[in-house]
Amino acid sequence: MTYMTIGEFAELTRLSPKALRLYDRLGLLVPERVDAGTGYRLYARDQVEAARLVGLLRRLDMPLAVIATVLAADDAGAARAVSEYWQQAEATMAGRRAVVGYLQARLTGANHAMYDIQTRRMPERKLLTINRHVHLAGTDAFFTYAFSRLRSAAPGIEGIAGVPFLIFYGEVSDDSDGPIELRRPVVAEAGAEAVEAMADVQFRVEPAHDEAYIRLALKDMGWPAMLPAADALEAWTNERHRQPAGALRQVLIADQRSAAPDTPVCDLTVPLK
């Protein structure tokens, strides 16, 4: 077999020797052999396509650890991995785009978006709750577990007063871990009994109160997309000299998994004293 030096291989693959040395150290693209006498890295021609693939994936800012999984997969698996990575990248970019728009409006003093803010009376309720400190990567697992846990614990109640809701006590991101709490209103007689055998579930009684709310479509859900709505609720309470009785809530009025972008799925609410 004829081998190429790192310089020859770099010219053929359009990657720099520095990049090739990095990929070697990381185990992504290991030379076919290393000369025992000189220590020179030697590459085989059948490594060219893998090297070019690594270079293209890095142009997508794909992390090296993800590139390793692409290289280890067959063609179909590699294509799926690239698609999944790009979907995540586009979601991240959409979130950043929302932050940029929000910052530009705030820094230039532009008017807040107009929202239809309404109020409603919520009765005294018995609630089952689960509270966790989670980072962004752990939210899906928390939601899946918490919804299943609370749904099986006790019968719910009908109407808007019975809709489960989330409370974010702090930002949930790669750096911040909330905490976040899921609350589910339940039938009074069953609620207290249900938590006796569930160490991670708490039982609460919430007094009757008013709440102000904005109904949001799926495309306006999530953070930071909800920032303008949160600002509008804060401005509304300040203008009317109403004091919040707690943190912002997301009342989950529809299943987001099957909703279209313009489908109303959430009431962003603030409980009022």
Side-chain angles (χ1 to χ4, degrees):
M1 179 181 292
T2 301
Y3 296 103
M4 290 176 278
T5 66
I6 192 171
E8 295 169 331
F9 193 67
E11 183 175 355
L12 191 59
T13 61
R14 299 182 289 274
L15 296 171
S16 70
K18 180 179 180 181
L20 291 171
R21 294 187 189 98
L22 172 63
Y23 301 156
D24 179 15
R25 288 198 302 272
L26 296 173
L28 287 178
L29 190 64
V30 178
E32 187 71 22
R33 62 183 291 263
V34 177
D35 188 280
T38 63
Y40 288 166
R41 294 172 171 84
L42 300 173
Y43 294 85
R45 180 165 290 276
D46 61 8
Q47 293 182 282
V48 170
E49 286 305 314
R52 289 176 175 172
L53 178 59
V54 171
L56 290 170
L57 294 174
R58 287 299 290 158
R59 285 183 175 272
L60 299 178
D61 287 330
M62 183 178 285
L64 297 174
V66 180
I67 291 177
T69 65
V70 174
L71 295 177
D74 59 21
D75 289 347
R80 283 195 302 272
V82 172
S83 178
E84 290 170 0
Y85 166 75
W86 192 243
Q87 288 176 4
Q88 295 173 354
E90 288 186 322
T92 299
M93 186 57 66
R96 291 175 178 173
R97 191 178 298 113
V99 172
V100 169
Y102 174 77
L103 286 173
Q104 288 176 328
R106 184 167 182 173
L107 293 172
T108 59
N111 291 331
H112 292 294
M114 299 298 293
Y115 293 98
D116 178 21
I117 300 178
Q118 301 185 47
T119 61
R120 61 191 172 209
R121 185 69 177 172
M122 303 303 289
E124 178 182 284
R125 295 182 290 179
K126 310 301 188 296
L127 306 167
L128 297 184
T129 78
I130 294 181
N131 187 301
R132 288 284 190 281
H133 285 272
V134 292
H135 289 93
L136 185 61
T139 53
D140 285 346
F142 168 74
F143 294 157
T144 299
Y145 170 80
F147 275 107
S148 175
R149 187 81 161 145
L150 297 185
R151 192 180 299 116
S152 64
I157 59 178
E158 296 182 354
I160 191 66
V163 177
F165 57 94
L166 291 164
I167 302 178
F168 290 84
Y169 295 102
E171 180 178 325
V172 176
S173 65
D174 293 335
D175 300 328
S176 178
D177 63 352
I180 186 174
E181 182 176 2
L182 177 65
R183 295 185 178 184
R184 179 174 182 251
V186 294
V187 174
E189 295 76 14
E193 298 175 1
V195 301
E196 294 180 1
M198 306 177 78
D200 59 341
V201 177
Q202 295 181 325
F203 177 74
R204 297 172 184 258
V205 178
E206 182 178 73
H209 63 277
D210 291 332
E211 65 180 18
Y213 69 96
I214 296 173
R215 184 148 293 181
L216 297 176
L218 180 64
K219 67 176 185 292
D220 300 316
M221 276 282 291
W223 213 255
M226 288 192 299
L227 277 170
D231 285 351
L233 282 171
E234 183 178 10
W236 185 93
T237 57
N238 289 337
E239 289 167 2
R240 288 158 178 77
H241 306 290
R242 300 296 302 269
Q243 291 187 326
L248 282 172
R249 303 176 171 189
Q250 293 181 31
V251 180
L252 307 172
I253 62 173
D255 189 342
Q256 299 176 40
R257 296 170 297 179
S258 58
D262 291 321
T263 301
V265 295
C266 162
D267 285 350
L268 187 64
T269 78
V270 56
L272 302 171
K273 291 183 179 180

